[in-house]
Amino acid sequence: MLSRRAFLKHAGAAAVATTLAATHPAHAQQRPNILWIYSDDHAQNAISAYGGRLASAAPTPNIDRIAREGVLFRNSFVTNAICGPCRAVVLTGLHSHLNGFRDNSCRFDGSQETFPKLLRQNGYQTALFGKWHLVSDPTGFDAWAVLPGQGDYYNPDFITPAGKERVEGYVTDIITTKALHWLQHDRDGDKPFMLMVQHKASHREWLPGPDHLSRYEEVTFPEPETLFDDYGGRGTAAREQDMTIAKTMRLGPDLKLWGEEDRDTPPWKTFFGRMNDEQREAWEAAYQARNETFRTANLQGDDLVRFKYQCYMKDYLRCIASVDDNVGRVLDYLEKTGLDKNTVVFYSSDQSFYLGEHGWFDKRFIYEESLRTPLVARWPGVIPPGTEITPMVQNLDCAETFLDIAGVPIPDQMQGLSMLPLMQGTQPETWRTSIYYHYYEGEGKVHNVYKHYGVRTERYKLAFFYTLNEWEFYDLEKDPHEMKNAYAAPDYADQVRELKAELARLRELYKVPEDDA
Ligand code: SGN
Ligand code: CA
């Protein structure tokens, strides 16, 4: 009898082969290409296909096109909501404690097994362009060019196997151009490809590109219900974080509200230092009005928070507008060349982001806005258009899904599940009913979010802030914004006990060391 893993793999690959043969005879023998478009800190709430309060004011037509022609994962989550760790999970299919990249101060061990290496060993050509953020050089790629660390929005440097290069232009456009250039000129047409296009946007400090500097200038974005959360219903971690729009968000570097007197200061110089004269003039012209309004308004208290929120949303969504345009460029190229027919296109982000919910920006917490991440995919002839998937998936599942799509055996040690059967519209008889989460970066580090781990089921969430020895429990159906910690509520005693048992089971299943707490 087949193991569950083997069964899933077998079922997925066999069904794809049948569907492909039926719908695309010309491609029946050729394994599908895989194109992974990955952005940074792109909130699910900032993708119109997911709905939400920003959908009509700031639509994302090209990302939506992937979802419309393919699949949208409604319940897609991460394992550890911070950049480097998420990227390491995607590559390895292992939780942070096993891939060794627990927080952003780590260095990725590039000698370990990753899905790009396995695809490459099995006849795929592999390439990576854009943000990497794993410190060590990429391994497992035939071609790569990555931003050093976080990279720059304007005229960025890239590290390549041949050394460092500076490229003039806006980072989101450049990353796409590099990827399209590789597809057009450097790809070996006899092999299937796996291409990772990884954007810096929409990471802080949210510098919009020249095409969208004035976009949304006249728009007033709806505020989240929880913008003025006072954390009264929760614990120490929510109260002591350092990621509020009110206190943490800086007027200058974050919101571009610079006074004339700031121009000689190092932050201002660093911020604009990479721009050429033309870029700088366009920038100053676009931001002049915002600066003047701010200087004369003398805002205080909640009014100041509201103004900061609007500025934040404008810049953040302008960065997203460029990402969306560039997704469109890639889709158009695939269609023009006919590659679309045999290419599975994914769009995702390393994790989601707070867009003012709970008064916050940034991520890190197990709470919904950062636990979730966008995930949509298109595969003509295989994924039925307009498919929506509600079972819980995690970034932990990516590696196995890609291997499954390629028909490459999945190593036993990988900890996710192939999403391929779900993508084809069948739900395996057994699918996970809970997910494990563990955030390690911790207190004292940027944004001061205390370490915690926890479990989420379809309806409930239990989190343990272990350095505080504080538990939190939420009924997501009754309290979707997670405003009131119900850990001690007698009505939930049974559910808390069950979730504690489930958490212990998951920690054992995923081989979490006992002292990882
Ligand atoms: C920088 C940002 C933080 C952000 C971390 C991690 N500050 O330190 O706001 O949380 O990166 O982000 S900034 O002033 O430099 O923008 S991550 O996406 O790389 O994990
Ligand atoms: Ca990120």
Side-chain angles (χ1 to χ4, degrees):
M1 204 169 114
L2 289 172
S3 70
R4 177 159 170 260
R5 182 183 299 277
F7 167 76
L8 286 179
K9 189 173 97 57
H10 178 79
V16 170
T18 314
T19 322
L20 272 179
T23 53
H24 296 296
H27 296 281
Q29 301 308 315
Q30 196 180 314
R31 288 177 296 165
N33 306 307
I34 298 167
L35 205 160
W36 173 249
I37 309 177
Y38 200 46
S39 54
D40 198 349
D41 297 354
H42 189 178
Q44 251 187 16
N45 282 334
I47 293 182
S48 38
Y50 278 95
R53 69 180 195 279
L54 302 167
S56 58
T60 48
N62 292 297
I63 298 170
D64 291 9
R65 187 167 139 201
I66 300 177
R68 196 176 54 246
E69 294 171 6
V71 62
L72 178 141
F73 289 87
R74 179 61 62 186
N75 292 306
S76 152
F77 302 100
V78 296
T79 56
N80 177 2
I82 184 155
C83 187
C86 288
R87 292 158 198 271
V89 167
V90 167
L91 288 170
T92 60
L94 298 173
H95 274 282
S96 305
H97 58 275
L98 292 186
N99 68 45
F101 205 103
R102 287 180 171 82
D103 61 48
N104 272 345
S105 69
C106 295
R107 180 187 179 86
F108 186 68
D109 170 10
S111 70
Q112 64 189 307
E113 198 70 280
T114 62
F115 84 82
K117 285 187 187 173
L118 288 165
L119 290 179
R120 196 172 177 214
Q121 284 158 21
N122 284 277
Y124 270 69
Q125 209 187 11
T126 57
L128 157 74
F129 300 101
K131 186 164 175 184
W132 173 246
H133 208 206
L134 292 172
V135 187
S136 55
D137 280 354
T139 53
F141 297 94
D142 292 293
W144 55 269
V146 297
L147 299 167
Q150 300 283 10
D152 285 295
Y153 274 105
Y154 276 83
N155 310 329
D157 290 332
F158 284 84
I159 304 169
T160 75
K164 210 180 208 181
E165 59 171 16
R166 177 183 162 121
V167 185
E168 288 289 297
Y170 185 63
V171 70
T172 311
D173 302 331
I174 297 169
I175 289 167
T176 308
T177 301
K178 281 185 176 294
L180 293 180
H181 185 276
W182 182 81
L183 278 177
Q184 194 168 2
H185 300 289
D186 298 334
R187 187 172 64 87
D188 175 351
D190 294 334
K191 288 183 174 176
F193 67 81
M194 190 287 295
L195 170 61
M196 303 180 89
V197 184
Q198 307 206 139
H199 292 295
K200 168 186 172 61
S202 47
H203 194 274
R204 194 183 183 193
E205 295 136 328
W206 316 297
L207 267 65
D211 298 346
H212 294 296
L213 283 174
S214 301
R215 193 169 175 149
Y216 308 128
E217 197 54 45
E218 305 308 321
V219 177
T220 302
F221 291 102
E223 292 169 4
E225 279 175 45
T226 57
L227 182 60
F228 295 102
D229 189 354
D230 65 2
Y231 319 115
R234 278 174 293 169
T236 309
R239 286 194 303 273
E240 293 193 358
Q241 47 59 42
D242 181 23
M243 50 191 263
T244 59
I245 292 177
K247 265 177 55 196
T248 318
M249 193 173 268
R250 301 159 301 186
L251 294 176
D254 290 326
L255 301 176
K256 298 90 193 173
L257 296 165
W258 304 89
E260 285 303 318
E261 65 285 2
D262 295 319
R263 293 186 173 231
D264 292 326
T265 64
W268 199 88
K269 286 192 168 149
T270 312
F271 192 80
F272 291 109
R274 294 195 75 89
M275 291 186 187
N276 61 35
D277 289 349
E278 193 190 331
Q279 291 163 339
R280 189 68 174 268
E281 279 159 26
W283 181 277
E284 298 219 23
Y287 282 81
Q288 207 177 358
R290 173 188 288 189
N291 258 295
E292 277 171 18
T293 311
F294 181 68
R295 264 186 249 132
T296 50
N298 191 26
L299 300 165
Q300 309 290 333
D302 288 358
D303 290 340
L304 179 57
V305 172
R306 293 204 156 96
F307 186 82
K308 289 172 86 175
Y309 166 75
Q310 292 298 331
C311 294
Y312 166 37
M313 281 304 89
K314 287 183 173 57
D315 287 345
Y316 181 90
L317 294 165
R318 287 166 179 164
C319 291
I320 296 298
S322 286
V323 170
D324 191 71
D325 289 350
N326 279 285
V327 169
R329 278 176 75 198
V330 173
L331 296 179
D332 289 348
Y333 178 81
L334 295 180
E335 273 153 37
K336 198 176 73 198
T337 53
L339 279 171
D340 62 316
K341 296 183 182 57
N342 198 29
T343 301
V344 198
V345 181
F346 290 87
Y347 181 85
S348 187
S349 168
D350 57 353
Q351 80 296 303
S352 238
F353 211 66
Y354 293 92
L355 303 178
E357 298 89 357
H358 306 293
W360 294 338
F361 66 99
D362 212 68
K363 52 257 179 178
R364 298 163 194 269
F365 277 111
I366 193 174
Y367 307 134
E368 290 294 286
E369 292 82 357
S370 41
L371 179 64
R372 291 177 174 276
T373 201
L375 181 64
V376 295
R378 182 186 78 174
W379 190 357
V382 176
I383 302 176
T387 300
E388 180 162 323
I389 291 175
T390 51
M392 295 189 290
V393 300
Q394 263 186 310
N395 55 354
L396 186 69
D397 302 329
C398 292
E400 287 175 55
T401 304
F402 301 149
L403 294 172
D404 203 1
I405 287 170
V408 171
I410 296 168
D412 276 346
Q413 79 268 14
M414 285 192 177
Q415 297 184 310
L417 295 169
S418 169
M419 298 180 275
L420 185 55
L422 298 177
M423 290 162 68
Q424 295 170 269
T426 58
Q427 184 169 341
E429 275 168 34
T430 49
W431 189 260
R432 67 165 72 81
T433 53
S434 66
I435 56 164
Y436 178 67
Y437 181 86
H438 198 145
Y439 169 74
Y440 293 87
E441 193 160 291
E443 47 275 26
K445 303 282 171 47
V446 59
H447 299 303
N448 199 45
V449 172
Y450 283 80
K451 296 177 189 194
H452 56 290
Y453 60 80
V455 54
R456 186 200 194 276
T457 62
E458 203 181 309
R459 175 159 175 187
Y460 301 110
K461 186 182 291 179
L462 178 76
F464 184 42
F465 291 84
Y466 47 95
T467 49
L468 294 165
N469 196 23
E470 285 182 24
W471 290 88
E472 296 186 15
F473 173 87
Y474 299 96
D475 178 344
L476 300 169
E477 204 175 283
K478 297 232 168 90
D479 181 17
H481 299 306
E482 300 161 298
M483 298 296 280
K484 174 104 190 74
N485 176 13
Y487 179 71
D491 286 357
Y492 288 115
D494 289 347
Q495 286 86 349
V496 168
R497 201 172 39 248
E498 279 164 27
L499 256 69
K500 277 195 176 174
E502 181 61 5
L503 185 54
R505 187 189 74 81
L506 289 175
R507 282 173 62 86
E508 195 181 332
L509 173 74
Y510 292 129
K511 305 185 172 70
V512 186
E514 266 184 39
D515 56 3
D516 247 28

